Amino acid sequence: MELIELQDICKTYHIGQVDVPVLKGVSLKIDRGDHVALMGASGSGKSTLMNILGCLDRPTSGKYWLEGRDVTNLSPQERASARNQKIGFVFQNFTLLPRTSALENVMLPLSYTPDNLSEREGRRRAAELLTRVGLADRMDHEPSQLSGGQQQRVAIARALINHPPILLADEPTGNLDSKTSEEVLEMFGRLNVEEGITVLLVTHDPGIARHAKRIISIRDGQIENESHVEGQGPGFSPALPGPAPAESGVAGGREGGSS
Amino acid sequence: MRIYRPTKTALRALLRNPMRAMLTILGIIIGVAAVIAMMEIGNGSSAAIRKTIASMGADILMVQPGTAASGGVSFGAGSILTLTPEDCDAILKECPAVRAAAPIVRARAQVVHSNRNWVPLYIYGTTPAFLDVRDWNDMAEGEAFDERDVRNSSKVCLLGQTLVRELFPGEDPVGKDVRIQNVSFRVIGVLRAKGANMMGLDQDDIVLAPWTTIKYRVAGTSLGNVNQSSNTSGAGASATVETLNNPYPTEKVELYPQPSDIQAADTPQPVRFTNVDDIMAASRTSSDIDAASDQIAKLLHERHRIPTGKPDDFSVRNMAEMTQALSSTTTLMTNLLLCVALISLVGGGVGIMNIMLVSVTERTHEIGLRMAVGARAGDILKQFLVEAILLCLAGGALGILLGHGGSYLIRVFLHWPVQTSLTAIVAAVAVSASVGIIFGYYPAWKASRLDPIEALRYE
């Protein structure tokens, strides 16, 4: 059984009197333990697709099965609980609570988990995750005292606190320099290989997308093509026909730095 | 557990920005502090006003003897004498709503000192409790007579200011003698000026003396005109006292042979107790007046063994008019304070709402994040609502401290009467919590209605 199955997903925004179709029938399947990059230029609809995959938004039409369950028609409460239990979010701008320690930031999703974990158990689990992302000595630091890479690692730890099967990363390296981007991407790869977590990476940068096992390109609200990256893995960086388009200056720098 | 988590979350969110939290609750703090201080000062002044009015006699109950009637002709209140000093003691002992009670024996006579004379409005024979009843304990000069003087029927008296003016111009009356009805009284004290009463009668035109003295040495008349058996010792005394030119009025003239003990036992005489003209009682508080009135009536009804269906041989009167004025004054004051309290708290509440709305906008991103990691709309609503309520309660608590401290300072430095009001504190807490709910609801609702996608994108 697939972890995620989309069938003919359409999404249309109504802006005034005008209908703007953003997704025009997307169908895809993602298996458990897969590492997928969702790639597309801005305006291609990849963010909308990610919102739908993340149960933040509902498709206008089509079906979406998450772990075999149809989540298209869930109530807002049920979708919230799905986000809490099944999906870990990593955002481009980290979105940590300011003036709150890393540990408590990691514990944030626990406040909305129905099974009441004791405070101590929650702390233990958060500390364990922070150790795993290499921040054992930064637990009591506030976001402002952490570097961008460290902040993103806190965000990853937060995404993992409820042991979700899926990690949804929206341009996770967009605000990071090339070195830390590499570290973060490596961490995604490790989580995928070692923990068997399904990682879904949304990016516009082919260089970053290449860290995944499978790349799905989106253009104009439709899946353009799908490709499997050969022999991918941490540190894998095949030669590309030149750096990515102008918008990916950061990624371009990374290319230069790592190869 | 359901409230513990949101409370913790809210508390953390508030502590993340203590400065703003502080500024937010400033409105509530000032509002509640104003309410508390105002209520305490208001209560203090209203207690002071109540005391003043009470000293004018609003809490006083007059117990008067009933009316005699003969052949359908009623002689009006006081035409029979049915009250005794023992009634007075019993009232004090058995009526819990009565603060003090004093018997009164009236007389009207000329008071003479050297070459001056004056007929005072009141010559009252009473007990020291009279000063308690009238709230007249602090003397202008000298001191009051005591119970022993009453028992010994000492010839001592207290003068009101008017008498001092009339009889002792430019003199200190204390220690001097005055003559009332040819009985010489030593002045041991001067009463503080009280001015005219509600009816315009001069309350300072008064001589106070032990009731035994007035009764037995001066006012024989108060027994002479009464239809009681003439065999009491009092009647005998009155016969002698009435003789104006008798220099020793207490000296009893044996007009008839005294009955022997056996004769007395053979012909039992109805025992009449010594009568007093009135009993003046004061209720504990001005709101106890009705209770005190009832208790006295019940007690005397039993003591006088009035058969059911027969009219009482006494009547209890109070100053209903004055009491009414008093209660309307206090009600007005309380209502006024309540209005001020509400207005200032609503002001504080609007402040809270304002800042909470700003806070929701400012934390849109946080709300989006919380929703993305699984917070339901209800969770967000609860969090912001709890934040607002916590703010208001904290503001209320600080306000109570501040207001209480303020009124304490006012008492210490300005010597205004201040009274701690538990009601005000309870009301302030209740009102600040409800202000939190009412004015926190809209921002919280607005926060919970945010679209997580929009909220996450918001910068």
Side-chain angles (χ1 to χ4, degrees):
Chain A
M1 181 187 69
E2 287 83 11
L3 182 62
I4 289 174
E5 185 174 353
L6 298 184
Q7 198 181 64
D8 210 19
I9 292 286
C10 291
K11 180 72 183 175
T12 308
Y13 288 113
H14 306 278
I15 301 168
Q17 298 290 314
V18 192
D19 286 356
V20 183
V22 179
L23 293 178
K24 304 162 186 165
V26 174
S27 300
L28 63 86
K29 288 179 182 175
I30 296 171
D31 289 325
R32 215 173 272 276
D34 210 346
H35 190 172
V36 182
L38 214 58
M39 204 177 73
S42 63
S44 61
K46 64 181 193 308
S47 292
T48 308
L49 185 58
M50 200 212 71
N51 286 339
I52 289 172
L53 284 171
C55 294
L56 284 165
D57 206 351
R58 296 169 64 177
T60 314
S61 68
K63 288 282 183 196
Y64 172 19
W65 288 273
L66 178 62
E67 284 195 314
R69 187 169 170 223
D70 184 4
V71 293
T72 329
N73 292 315
L74 291 186
S75 70
Q77 278 83 359
E78 286 167 320
R79 275 190 286 139
S81 120
R83 290 198 293 272
N84 186 248
Q85 300 289 315
K86 307 268 188 249
I87 300 160
F89 285 95
V90 178
F91 301 101
Q92 178 175 2
N93 43 11
F94 324 136
T95 57
L96 300 177
L97 293 184
R99 279 173 253 194
T100 307
S101 74
L103 193 73
E104 287 185 348
N105 259 303
V106 173
M107 287 169 69
L108 176 67
L110 289 179
S111 338
Y112 306 110
T113 310
D115 56 316
N116 282 317
L117 216 57
S118 75
E119 174 86 11
R120 187 188 298 176
E121 178 63 18
R123 271 180 189 280
R124 199 191 53 73
R125 211 196 269 184
E128 197 182 277
L129 282 168
L130 280 171
T131 313
R132 206 193 302 168
V133 297
L135 292 173
D137 53 341
R138 296 274 194 278
M139 286 186 198
D140 297 323
H141 288 221
E142 292 176 358
S144 56
Q145 299 165 312
L146 296 172
S147 72
Q150 286 167 336
Q151 287 188 45
Q152 194 59 298
R153 278 186 280 166
V154 173
I156 293 170
R158 180 183 63 200
L160 295 175
I161 188 91
N162 269 331
H163 305 309
I166 310 159
L167 200 57
L168 211 57
D170 184 12
E171 303 273 8
T173 58
N175 285 8
L176 299 176
D177 62 44
S178 56
K179 188 163 165 294
T180 45
S181 292
E182 194 65 40
E183 282 169 16
V184 165
L185 290 170
E186 243 173 63
M187 187 164 292
F188 282 131
R190 232 177 29 239
L191 287 169
N192 175 246
V193 172
E194 291 170 13
E195 317 268 334
I197 297 169
T198 313
V199 177
L200 221 104
L201 216 64
V202 178
T203 183
H204 62 267
D205 183 351
I208 289 168
R210 216 169 305 112
H211 281 75
K213 292 178 190 164
R214 189 175 153 205
I215 299 173
I216 300 172
S217 306
I218 297 187
R219 173 177 289 219
D220 296 333
Q222 276 167 326
I223 292 180
E224 192 180 38
N225 64 39
E226 260 195 69
S227 61
H228 286 267
V229 178
E230 294 302 320
Q232 68 81 42
F236 171 78
S237 55
L240 263 187
E247 56 186 344
S248 61
V250 174
R254 183 197 65 82
E255 284 287 303
S258 63
S259 52
Chain B
M1 206 62 197
R2 288 189 77 91
I3 194 71
Y4 169 69
R5 257 192 199 172
T7 310
K8 208 174 69 178
T9 313
L11 211 58
R12 257 182 214 156
L14 290 176
L15 291 180
R16 233 182 286 143
N17 205 336
M19 185 64 187
R20 188 180 58 198
M22 202 59 213
L23 286 174
T24 311
I25 59 176
L26 209 57
I28 290 283
I29 292 179
I30 292 172
V32 170
V35 171
I36 295 284
M38 208 102 79
M39 287 294 258
E40 295 201 349
I41 294 167
N43 268 359
S45 358
S46 112
I49 291 172
R50 211 178 303 138
K51 218 174 141 195
T52 312
I53 297 183
S55 81
M56 287 160 68
D59 59 349
I60 286 173
L61 295 149
M62 292 292 291
V63 186
Q64 286 179 320
T67 168
S70 171
V73 179
S74 151
F75 297 108
S79 51
I80 51 169
L81 285 188
T82 55
L83 298 174
T84 66
E86 287 75 24
D87 283 338
C88 176
D89 294 342
I91 285 170
L92 188 59
K93 208 184 296 169
E94 290 176 36
C95 299
V98 171
R99 171 165 60 83
I104 287 173
V105 175
R106 298 166 190 274
R108 186 152 178 88
Q110 194 182 47
V111 181
V112 182
H113 170 71
S114 63
N115 62 343
R116 292 174 164 270
N117 68 81
W118 184 254
V119 178
L121 208 47
Y122 314 102
I123 298 177
Y124 276 178
T126 183
T127 62
F130 179 82
L131 298 175
D132 287 333
V133 173
R134 293 305 316 274
D135 197 12
W136 217 350
N137 270 315
D138 40 336
M139 313 288 295
E141 235 179 302
E143 55 184 24
F145 54 85
D146 56 20
E147 289 293 343
R148 208 175 48 192
D149 292 323
V150 177
R151 274 200 305 279
N152 295 349
S153 47
S154 307
K155 290 182 279 180
V156 292
C157 70
L158 309 174
L159 297 186
Q161 291 291 342
T162 307
L163 273 123
V164 174
R165 201 172 56 239
E166 295 298 336
L167 296 180
F168 297 93
E171 261 185 280
D172 181 11
V174 175
K176 306 262 167 45
D177 283 351
V178 293
R179 273 181 301 130
I180 306 171
Q181 235 29 343
N182 279 343
V183 182
S184 178
F185 283 79
R186 166 139 316 155
V187 178
I188 58 168
V190 175
L191 295 165
R192 163 174 65 79
K194 223 175 166 77
N197 70 4
M198 296 263 283
M199 309 301 295
L201 294 175
D202 183 7
Q203 299 180 91
D204 294 326
D205 197 1
I206 191 169
V207 175
L208 292 181
W211 68 267
T212 45
T213 321
I214 297 291
K215 179 135 192 101
Y216 299 130
R217 298 183 197 260
V218 179
T221 48
S222 62
L223 281 171
N225 61 356
V226 169
N227 57 342
Q228 40 187 318
S229 74
S230 57
N231 208 17
T232 58
S233 61
S238 79
T240 53
V241 166
E242 268 182 332
T243 336
L244 261 173
N245 37 14
N246 182 355
Y248 307 109
T250 47
E251 190 189 60
K252 280 186 188 164
V253 183
E254 301 280 333
L255 290 178
Y256 308 102
Q258 290 293 302
S260 72
D261 289 347
I262 293 169
Q263 275 177 312
D266 280 348
T267 55
Q269 298 290 337
V271 180
R272 285 305 301 204
F273 298 98
T274 317
N275 291 307
V276 294
D277 292 328
D278 299 298
I279 293 172
M280 204 182 243
S283 62
R284 239 166 241 295
T285 64
S286 39
S287 52
D288 281 343
I289 288 176
D290 287 338
S293 192
D294 288 348
Q295 286 166 4
I296 291 172
K298 210 177 211 173
L299 176 76
L300 291 185
H301 189 81
E302 278 171 21
R303 279 183 64 84
H304 292 183
R305 299 198 178 83
I306 314 279
T308 35
K310 288 280 167 58
D312 283 342
D313 62 355
F314 62 89
S315 59
V316 183
R317 278 152 229 265
N318 59 38
M319 319 229 170
E321 196 181 17
M322 223 189 246
T323 320
Q324 213 167 17
L326 175 68
S327 71
S328 73
T329 310
T330 8
T331 320
L332 192 73
M333 196 115 175
T334 315
N335 287 346
L336 194 76
L337 288 171
L338 207 70
C339 284
V340 175
L342 278 179
I343 289 167
S344 63
L345 277 172
V346 166
V350 170
I352 292 254
M353 178 154 82
N354 202 349
I355 301 282
M356 287 305 287
L357 281 172
V358 172
S359 168
V360 167
T361 312
E362 195 186 278
R363 285 156 65 191
T364 303
H365 208 80
E366 178 192 327
I367 295 165
L369 170 69
R370 285 180 184 278
M371 284 179 156
V373 301
R376 285 157 299 188
D379 291 325
I380 301 292
L381 181 84
K382 219 188 278 176
Q383 183 193 337
F384 278 85
L385 204 54
V386 169
E387 268 182 43
I389 294 169
L390 280 180
L391 279 177
C392 284
L393 282 180
L398 287 173
I400 288 170
L401 287 181
L402 196 70
H404 198 65
S407 73
Y408 175 78
L409 289 181
I410 282 174
R411 193 182 68 201
V412 169
F413 291 110
L414 296 181
H415 303 293
W416 286 11
V418 164
Q419 206 173 52
T420 308
S421 158
L422 195 69
T423 334
I425 290 175
V426 171
V429 170
V431 170
S432 52
S434 22
V435 160
I437 292 170
I438 294 165
F439 290 99
Y441 192 84
Y442 175 63
W445 177 81
K446 228 181 130 194
S448 75
R449 302 297 294 183
L450 283 175
D451 176 22
I453 302 165
E454 293 294 322
L456 275 170
R457 208 178 291 156
Y458 184 89
E459 288 300 331

